[in-house]
Amino acid sequence: MNPTINQKKKIGGWLFFLFSIMLFCAQMGYFFLQSRYNVEYTDNRIFYLINILILISLVLTIFLLFTVTKKWKMIIVSILVVLTLLLVGLMINHSKRINHIISISSDFKNVLVIKENRATGQASYYRTYYGIFARPKEMFPYRTIGEFKVKWLEKDIVAVTYKDSIHSIHQYIGTYGDRNEGSYSYVGPSIHGQWQTESVRLISDSEGITIDNNGEVEIYDWKNIVQFGTIAVVLMKNNEATLMNNNEAEWTIALNENFNSNSNAAIPPSGEITLYKATMDIIEPLTLVYEGEADAQPKQ
């Protein structure tokens, strides 16, 4: 064999060997993080894919560094195929048990991760670290059923609409930013006043939040308004039609990136807010602008 080609094969063999060692160390580190800090891969199937890459790298290492007879090549390739199929089977089985809901914001800075146990209907919201790792942060309050609808309202606000076991609709809001330089603030008081778009008017005052949707008016007092982070709330209404008298989400209000509460000055809030209806239908969120004090007459 040409000495140059032989040298390139050896270099390639050692590179694949180092690559496999790196992946193996990464898997060992993952086991440590998982047991010590409850860290998981953002998508659990990554674990099986890395194992497959380790196997392929080791086989290429053997073929490039050693002289292997045809018989042993067939044996090694057969073992590789069997182990790969085994790992793929385990990965498929895992996917049947755990439903992964993963979505990335438009600026690629934030990742929504929800893992649902298909058998029990228990779903958990995860916080991600470095994109590839995640830790469970919060379990959904209701057992889930059916599909999840994901909609990014802003680059740092994502709404997840889903149904519970009695088919009531709920919304979970993932928030990844703030509008008040890190200090805690309440969404309801910060949007005090009247907000409007072409067909919908929203009023936030001391009694709660009122939605006038094309003449259909609903009032939500503060006990039925659930805040997520510091930049979004969900308006709830009791669903008396269900046997369990279950609370159901109706709207989400999110603070847009250009929103400014001006809470430290005697001037009204500025910017825009987003109103998003809780429904499994495909709809677009509404953008509302500030129109004046809560008791002001709406503009025609």
Side-chain angles (χ1 to χ4, degrees), residues 19-201:
F19 184 58
S20 63
I21 293 297
M22 288 173 55
L23 293 179
F24 178 78
C25 292
Q27 293 289 66
M28 293 301 102
Y30 170 68
F31 282 132
F32 172 77
L33 292 173
Q34 187 182 38
S35 61
R36 186 74 176 269
Y37 301 105
N38 202 24
V39 170
E40 301 177 17
Y41 283 125
T42 298
D43 189 324
N44 293 7
R45 291 165 291 194
I46 293 175
F47 174 79
Y48 302 100
L49 292 175
I50 290 179
N51 285 340
I52 291 173
L53 285 176
I54 291 174
L55 288 173
I56 293 174
S57 297
L58 286 176
V59 169
L60 291 173
T61 298
I62 294 172
F63 286 173
L64 291 172
L65 288 183
F66 303 100
T67 301
V68 184
T69 64
K70 186 177 180 181
K71 174 185 174 183
W72 276 105
K73 282 184 179 178
M74 292 180 64
I75 293 174
I76 292 172
V77 170
S78 298
I79 293 173
L80 173 65
V81 170
V82 170
L83 292 177
T84 301
L85 289 176
L86 176 62
L87 288 169
V88 171
L90 291 173
M91 185 169 61
I92 293 173
N93 181 59
H94 185 83
S95 297
K96 289 181 178 178
R97 292 188 291 109
I98 304 296
N99 180 25
H100 293 76
I101 298 95
I102 298 174
S103 180
I104 303 174
S105 63
S106 59
D107 60 356
F108 302 101
K109 291 183 178 179
N110 301 308
V111 182
L112 166 77
V113 178
I114 296 170
K115 299 182 183 181
E116 177 200 31
N117 186 316
R118 296 178 189 270
T120 64
Q122 291 182 325
S124 296
Y125 170 73
Y126 282 68
R127 277 290 187 189
T128 58
Y129 300 90
Y130 310 110
I132 193 172
F133 297 113
R135 292 179 67 185
K137 181 186 178 186
E138 192 172 9
M139 184 175 289
F140 280 27
Y142 306 98
R143 292 183 183 276
T144 58
I145 186 172
E147 299 296 321
F148 292 77
K149 189 181 77 171
V150 176
K151 179 72 175 178
W152 286 89
L153 304 179
E154 283 288 324
K155 293 174 182 175
D156 54 1
I157 306 175
V158 58
V160 181
T161 309
Y162 64 97
K163 290 184 178 180
D164 66 14
S165 57
I166 56 173
H167 297 277
S168 292
I169 290 181
H170 300 280
Q171 278 186 328
Y172 186 91
I173 311 300
T175 60
Y176 304 90
D178 62 73
R179 304 286 182 265
N180 203 23
E181 298 181 349
S183 60
Y184 197 85
S185 61
Y186 292 95
V187 172
S190 70
I191 62 170
H192 185 87
Q194 186 177 150
W195 301 77
Q196 192 157 356
T197 185
E198 186 175 345
S199 58
V200 177
R201 186 157 56 104

